[in-house]
């Protein structure tokens, strides 16, 4: 996944995709049997872009590319399931949310979770977290996020 946090990200690949993606856009690329691509900043303005890698559960498939713009409203005070719009070849979910108040989320006990603070400051399960912090959540069923303005990514893995 490519997660555009700030500015724009230019994506060009060997399948004639050429996109200048604004903040809020997530792109999914599955290299499969092979794809050439570049990601970069096409302007002189600040660009912040996250790459998130998930190992697929199949090999040698056809390469794929897609992207989707997720609005602030889709992520506001809830987790938006990125993998519903951009499915992957793995038993995993990528969730993203922007939180401006206390939010509680139920975690599946038999899955592992990795949380990353994209921006802002929050208290997550009573742990102070800031931009760039990550937490591994294992054997937990509840996630509590207390924030005034914080964007969070949550990976749910088997």
């Amino acid at each position: 996944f490519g997660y555009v946090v700030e500015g724009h990200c230019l994506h060009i690949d060997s399948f004639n995709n050429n996109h200048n993606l604004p903040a809020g856009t997530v792109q999914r690329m599955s290299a499969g049997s092979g794809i050439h691509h570049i990601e970069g900043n096409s302007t002189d303005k600040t660009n912040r872009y996250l790459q998130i890698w998930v190992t697929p559960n199949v090999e040698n498939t056809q390469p794929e590319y897609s992207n989707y713009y997720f609005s602030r409203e889709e992520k506001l005070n809830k987790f938006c399931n990125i993998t519903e719009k951009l499915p992957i070849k793995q038993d995993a979910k990528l969730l993203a949310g922007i939180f401006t108040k206390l939010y509680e989320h139920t975690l599946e006990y038999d899955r592992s979770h990795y949380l990353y603070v994209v921006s802002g400051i929050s208290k997550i399960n009573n742990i102070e977290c800031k931009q760039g912090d990550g937490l591994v959540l294992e054997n937990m069923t509840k996630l509590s996020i207390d924030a005034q303005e914080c964007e969070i990514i949550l990976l749910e893995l088997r």
Side-chain angles (χ1 to χ4, degrees):
F1 290 100
Y3 194 98
V4 186
V5 178
E6 183 180 352
H8 286 80
C9 176
L10 177 65
H11 170 91
I12 300 171
D13 66 37
S14 54
F15 293 101
N16 296 320
N17 290 304
N18 185 334
H19 303 285
N20 197 17
L21 307 168
T25 304
V26 178
Q27 60 181 352
R28 178 194 57 85
M29 186 168 41
S30 178
S33 57
I35 187 170
H36 299 282
H37 67 97
I38 61 167
E39 317 296 330
N41 188 354
S42 62
T43 70
D44 60 354
K45 296 189 170 129
T46 300
N47 166 291
R48 185 161 170 241
Y49 175 82
L50 304 174
Q51 279 194 346
I52 303 162
W53 293 70
V54 177
T55 303
N57 57 12
V58 294
E59 294 181 4
N60 297 317
T61 60
Q62 291 297 312
E64 297 176 13
Y65 174 83
S66 57
N67 66 66
Y68 186 86
Y69 173 78
F70 293 89
S71 69
R72 178 179 171 84
E73 290 73 30
E74 288 177 273
K75 298 185 279 185
L76 190 59
N77 294 312
K78 63 185 175 193
F79 278 116
C80 172
N81 187 344
I82 303 295
T83 47
E84 279 183 356
K85 300 283 185 189
L86 301 169
I88 60 173
K89 297 168 183 148
Q90 185 53 271
D91 183 9
K93 291 181 190 173
L94 175 64
L95 309 171
I98 298 171
F99 302 97
T100 61
K101 61 184 179 181
L102 181 63
Y103 176 79
E104 294 195 349
H105 180 74
T106 302
L107 300 172
E108 291 185 46
Y109 183 79
D110 63 338
R111 295 176 75 88
S112 295
H113 298 84
Y114 176 76
L115 182 144
Y116 178 78
V117 180
V118 176
S119 64
I121 298 171
S122 62
K123 191 177 273 192
I124 299 168
N125 288 359
N126 291 316
I127 299 169
E128 294 284 338
C129 296
K130 65 184 181 323
Q131 178 177 310
D133 286 346
L135 298 173
V136 173
L137 308 168
E138 292 181 323
N139 303 318
M140 299 178 119
T141 58
K142 191 164 272 206
L143 174 64
S144 175
I145 300 168
D146 191 3
Q148 290 187 5
E149 181 74 24
C150 183
E151 185 167 4
I152 292 173
I153 290 174
L154 180 65
L155 270 168
E156 182 181 286
L157 309 163
R158 185 85 44 218

